[in-house]
Amino acid sequence: MNHLEAYNKIKNRVEWDKSLDTRFEFITYKTPESGRFLQEEHPSVRIEIVYETLFDVDISNADFESKLEYIKQKAILQMLHDVFSDQKDILDYWIDGYVGLFDYAIILKNSNNVMFDVMNSTRINLTETVTDDNLKRWFIDLNGLKDSVNGVYTQSFSDRYRREINRIRKVLFIRNKSMKVVTAR
């Protein structure tokens, strides 16, 4: 199967959680197959903040709902590319047999993408709602912090995502999981 066919098999695993902001009651919220939501990894990954990052202030409700679906689709397709970049085809068994294996990677990739969009949004950065402290926190969350002088280390979302991709690849592609036992005579 190709990436789009794999996407169609896992696209309902994680979904956007219902917003508490009444401006977004028009959104049709779906129940995720895994019970996990795209917002669960970082407090700044919220529908309200995604809305504030959009350049088009007068976006229609249907277009905004499509934008949320596009953000999720982009995260899933990027994750699939990162996992299967060196594979000619994606075997059905890799998706069907390990469907839950991809949930956390999708959430991490989505969080990374949304925070990157927030940091680079001209609209949100021109409003008073974003403080320097928030920008610093998002920058550290995205890039991590490695201060060897003070002994401070904060793992970035990119590092966590790469580690999760490597974990998925180990589960899927290491075929011989048994160890050879060598005995001495």
Side-chain angles (χ1 to χ4, degrees):
M1 89 176 72
N2 61 31
H3 285 71
L4 194 54
E5 292 168 331
Y7 164 78
N8 285 325
K9 287 189 173 197
I10 63 173
K11 69 181 179 180
N12 297 321
R13 294 291 303 165
V14 293
E15 297 289 348
W16 289 99
D17 197 5
K18 185 173 178 162
S19 173
L20 298 176
D21 192 331
T22 56
R23 291 181 296 167
F24 303 106
E25 289 180 349
F26 62 88
I27 297 174
T28 306
Y29 296 99
K30 302 172 191 162
T31 304
E33 291 174 359
S34 67
R36 300 192 71 180
F37 295 100
L38 292 166
Q39 296 102 308
E40 70 185 43
E41 196 57 32
H42 196 277
S44 295
V45 179
R46 296 192 326 260
I47 291 174
E48 300 88 350
I49 291 179
V50 170
Y51 180 78
E52 291 297 323
T53 64
L54 300 179
F55 185 73
D56 185 8
V57 178
D58 298 324
I59 191 168
S60 70
N61 293 349
D63 287 344
F64 181 64
E65 198 166 4
S66 296
K67 178 67 175 176
L68 288 175
E69 191 61 32
Y70 169 75
I71 291 169
K72 181 180 85 165
Q73 179 185 25
K74 184 171 88 170
I76 294 171
L77 287 172
Q78 287 172 337
M79 183 273 310
L80 286 170
H81 176 270
D82 292 341
V83 171
F84 299 109
S85 61
D86 59 345
Q87 303 298 315
K88 184 176 178 182
D89 289 318
I90 301 172
L91 301 179
D92 289 341
Y93 177 73
W94 289 338
I95 301 296
D96 297 336
Y98 297 100
V99 71
L101 188 63
F102 304 99
D103 298 342
Y104 188 54
I106 295 168
I107 292 167
L108 285 173
K109 187 62 180 174
N110 182 69
S111 298
N112 200 359
N113 289 350
V114 169
M115 286 192 305
F116 184 80
D117 289 347
V118 167
M119 294 271 308
N120 293 301
S121 169
T122 55
R123 180 177 168 204
I124 201 168
N125 288 327
L126 293 175
T127 63
E128 297 291 325
T129 58
V130 177
T131 64
D132 287 338
D133 290 337
N134 281 344
L135 286 175
K136 288 176 187 173
R137 187 187 76 217
W138 289 330
F139 184 81
I140 289 172
D141 287 344
L142 274 176
N143 299 309
L145 179 65
K146 297 164 184 82
D147 184 0
S148 58
V149 174
N150 295 321
V152 177
Y153 176 76
T154 302
Q155 193 174 34
S156 70
F157 268 89
S158 299
D159 291 339
R160 291 167 58 192
Y161 174 70
R162 262 191 306 278
R163 188 179 72 213
E164 186 65 15
I165 292 300
N166 288 335
R167 186 183 72 80
I168 292 170
R169 290 181 57 80
K170 283 179 185 174
V171 169
L172 295 179
F173 304 137
I174 296 178
R175 297 192 192 331
N176 187 5
K177 295 181 182 175
S178 61
M179 296 180 73
K180 280 187 173 180
V181 178
V182 179
T183 57
R185 283 185 162 181

